[in-house]
Amino acid sequence: MLDFLSFGFFDILDILLVATIFFIGYRVVKGTIAATIFAGVFTVYLFWVLVEALNMELISSILGQFISVGVLALLILFQQEVRKFLLMIGSHYKWRNLLNPKMIFKEEEAKQNTIKAIIAACNNLSKTKTGALIVIAKKSFLDDFINTGVKINGDITQEIIENIFFKNTPLHDGAMIIAQDRVIAARCILPVSDRLDIPGSMGLRHRAALGLSASSDAQVIVVSEETGNISIFHQNQYVRAVSQEILQAFLANDLSMFEK
């Protein structure tokens, strides 16, 4: 009993390292469907530990077989999240940026320029009732959706956004995806929400925005082709006909409007 209560330096270090790994893992899967799957797997693991402690041999043996092949299954199931986890750890570019004040200021300036460009473009698209579907990627990997569209990887400007959604251009149909203050792709196909409580006045763009927001932590903006109203979507929630002030707050990561 006393051995159990005695903690050394390396015991504390061990706990801190495990906590750090779990925290990074949480940041990787936060806001994605993987978080729910991970919670289910972790629950099964805790149940296995419990039955092992209670010496319930039959069910412990069955769960033990499941756990033994579970690591390989998890690597396949969470391949995108594992890739993102390794990129976060191994990216010396990000570590260098964290220690470089100039890069921090440049990133903040780029973010502000992105917000201004999106707001100005959405206002003009709203006035002309030009439909638009804009996705701002956060921590979730959106590679599967990016690969359905046309790769651009260009600077974000008001003119580029408006030109992409101009009705006579080949890229106007579908979603434009923004990540790390760059226009990554356009004409991307998004999953359509199957929620039954969506108002009939919300069209396919709105349903696609809601569908993506339900499976990722991305922020999505829709400009209605029918009314010109601007709607915002996040975490399977939406706010319709938002003002410029609310849109700006939303792009600045203020999500308080979804708590009402």
Side-chain angles (χ1 to χ4, degrees), residues 90-137:
S91 178
H92 52 80
Y93 173 77
K94 287 186 177 180
W95 289 110
R96 188 171 66 247
N97 286 354
L98 287 175
L99 301 176
N100 189 343
K102 291 183 179 179
M103 292 304 299
I104 295 174
F105 287 124
K106 283 185 178 180
E107 288 180 358
E108 182 60 28
E109 183 181 359
K111 181 180 178 180
Q112 293 303 320
N113 290 337
T114 296
I115 292 175
K116 291 177 182 177
I118 293 175
I119 291 174
C122 286
N123 285 337
N124 285 344
L125 293 170
S126 176
K127 291 175 183 176
T128 59
K129 292 186 178 180
T130 302
L133 178 54
I134 302 172
V135 176
I136 299 100

Side-chain angles (χ1 to χ4, degrees), residues 48-86:
W48 175 63
V49 172
L50 177 63
V51 297
E52 276 275 290
L54 296 175
N55 294 320
M56 301 172 67
E57 295 184 2
L58 180 58
I59 191 168
S60 177
S61 175
I62 295 173
L63 288 176
Q65 293 297 322
F66 174 79
I67 296 296
S68 64
V69 298
V71 175
L72 180 60
L74 287 176
L75 287 175
I76 297 173
L77 191 62
F78 295 110
Q79 55 180 316
Q80 289 189 352
E81 284 71 22
V82 170
R83 177 189 171 196
K84 186 175 180 180
F85 176 79
L86 295 175

Side-chain angles (χ1 to χ4, degrees), residues 185-200:
R187 206 176 70 184
C188 300
I189 300 172
L190 305 184
V192 179
S193 174
D194 58 358
R195 279 176 52 175
L196 300 177
D197 61 340
I198 303 175

